[in-house]
């Protein structure tokens, strides 16, 4: 069987360092925040090219606090895309604001900047593009529209650790950027985790207070805050793993190049890395009109695949109250019907990549 993801293989490759980091936390008893989390924050800010990073307990919490720091609240609107993981939209709802969708571009499945202007109203308080699958949205075009209206851009970089847009790292182009360290993400904790990066001093200060009960100092609650702190253990583990991230990202990119070459000329549409962008392939998704059939056939061959995502958020039952309908976002709806995520993780071997590609090619030739 070829798994979609193999977290154990990665742990085994760095076991002594991880075990030492965990043991250090157990000995110091700094179980929540503490020195290791603070050190990870500086390391991750440096990695992203921002002056601050504030570690929290999930990517969803990171998005929630970044939006609050941008001044988003009840009665406001935040523009995002429907072809994303539901957390992007949930975080907007947590603030009391209303999510407003624009469709994605066909080539990248990220926010279509051409549709942005028409979605802006006097209530628009933030724009939240998603760097889906590990490729950054068209930030120049998005920022041009946003700046013309004086609206802050918060990046959902939960799938895009180390991705770049014309040499700028994900998270460094908007007023803030939000990352998830859910175990399956490109940089994964051994539990839940997230972080906001920003070079805005005010936003950093506010997010730092909000994650820890709105305290300025102990028991002095300046803001109505949350318990969104990162565990000491996760900070220590992530600090070790961050040192390997570039190596792991290059391995993902090599697998993607190999998939692309082996699938060239087949009936499968392979992902495009657009000019000026560094795709980090959190997800390697191909497209086909016979998606469900291909998934079944690959499963029968022992190849695990994933669907990211089968239903766009505007058609989810939980968000019916937003009033959208099928047909509103044709690119997102087509993608939801056609994308299939192939196995992709750094520890995959070239022979496994070949096995998957050959199987996928064979199955699609029989339609
Ligand atoms: C994973 C993810 C999130 C949420 O992160 P959690 O750490 O699971 O809360 C938000 N947005 C996107 C695009 C994601 O992939």
């Amino acid at each position: 069987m070829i798994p979609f993801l193999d977290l154990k293989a990665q742990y085994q490759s760095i076991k002594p360092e991880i075990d030492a980091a965990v043991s250090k936390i157990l000995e110091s008893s700094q179980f929540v925040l503490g020195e290791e989390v603070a050190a990870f924050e500086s390391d991750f800010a440096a990695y992203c090219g921002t002056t601050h990073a504030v570690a929290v307990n999930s990517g969803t919490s990171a998005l929630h606090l970044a939006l609050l720091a941008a001044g988003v609240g009840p009665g406001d609107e935040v523009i995002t895309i429907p072809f994303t993981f539901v957390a992007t939209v949930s975080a907007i709802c947590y603030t009391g604001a209303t999510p407003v969708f624009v469709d994605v571009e066909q080539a990248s499945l990220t926010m279509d900047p051409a549709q942005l202007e028409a979605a802006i109203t006097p209530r628009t308080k933030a724009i939240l593009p998603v760097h889906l699958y590990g490729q950054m949205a068209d930030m120049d075009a998005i920022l041009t529209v946003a700046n013309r209206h004086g609206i802050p851009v918060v990046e959902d970089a939960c799938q895009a650790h180390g991705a770049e847009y014309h040499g700028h790292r994900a998270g460094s182009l908007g007023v803030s950027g939000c990352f998830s360290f859910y175990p399956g993400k490109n940089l994964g904790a051994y539990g839940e985790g997230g972080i906001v990066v920003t070079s805005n001093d005010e936003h950093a200060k506010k997010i730092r207070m909000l994650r820890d009960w709105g305290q300025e100092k102990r028991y002095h609650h300046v803001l109505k805050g949350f318990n969104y702190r990162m565990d000491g253990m996760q900070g220590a583990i992530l600090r070790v793993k961050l040192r390997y991230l570039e190596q792991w990202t290059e391995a993902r990119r090599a697998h993607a190049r190999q998939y692309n070459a082996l699938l060239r000329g087949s009936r499968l549409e392979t992902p495009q890395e657009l000019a000026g962008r560094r795709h980090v392939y959190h997800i390697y998704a191909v497209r086909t009109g016979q998606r469900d059939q291909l998934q079944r056939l690959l499963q029968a061959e022992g190849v695990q695949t994933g669907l990211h995502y089968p239903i766009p958020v505007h058609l989810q039952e939980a968000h019916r109250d937003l009033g959208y309908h099928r047909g509103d976002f044709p690119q997102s709806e087509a993608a939801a019907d056609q994308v299939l995520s192939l196995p992709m993780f750094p520890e995959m071997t070239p022979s496994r990549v070949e096995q998957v590609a050959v199987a996928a090619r064979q199955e699609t030739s029989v339609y």
Side-chain angles (χ1 to χ4, degrees), residues 58-61 63 84-85 87-88 130 132 156 158-159 180-182 185 192-193 309:
S58 73
T60 309
S61 301
L63 289 164
T84 181
F85 181 56
T88 311
V130 182
L132 199 79
D156 183 339
C158 285
Q159 303 187 353
S180 165
F181 303 124
Y182 184 75
K185 298 291 163 82
E192 304 273 357
Y309 297 90

Side-chain angles (χ1 to χ4, degrees), residues 109-167:
L109 301 180
T110 58
M111 181 178 279
D112 184 354
Q115 300 190 28
L116 196 49
E117 192 98 48
I120 292 174
T121 76
R123 290 170 182 247
T124 308
K125 230 6 189 314
I127 297 168
L128 183 56
V130 182
H131 305 324
L132 199 79
Y133 296 166
Q135 174 156 245
M136 287 179 72
D138 189 356
M139 291 300 288
D140 277 348
I142 292 168
L143 285 165
T144 300
V145 178
N147 292 341
R148 188 153 64 229
H149 293 268
I151 300 169
V153 174
V154 175
E155 299 173 54
D156 183 339
C158 285
Q159 303 187 353
H161 318 68
E164 291 174 16
Y165 182 91
H166 295 294

Side-chain angles (χ1 to χ4, degrees), residues 21 23 51 54-55 75 82 160 216 243 257 259 293 302 314 344 346 352 365:
S23 165
T51 52
V54 185
E216 194 158 46
R243 296 199 282 270
R257 279 194 297 273
Y259 270 137
Q293 187 184 356
H314 72 286
M344 170 58 81
R352 283 297 175 92
S365 69

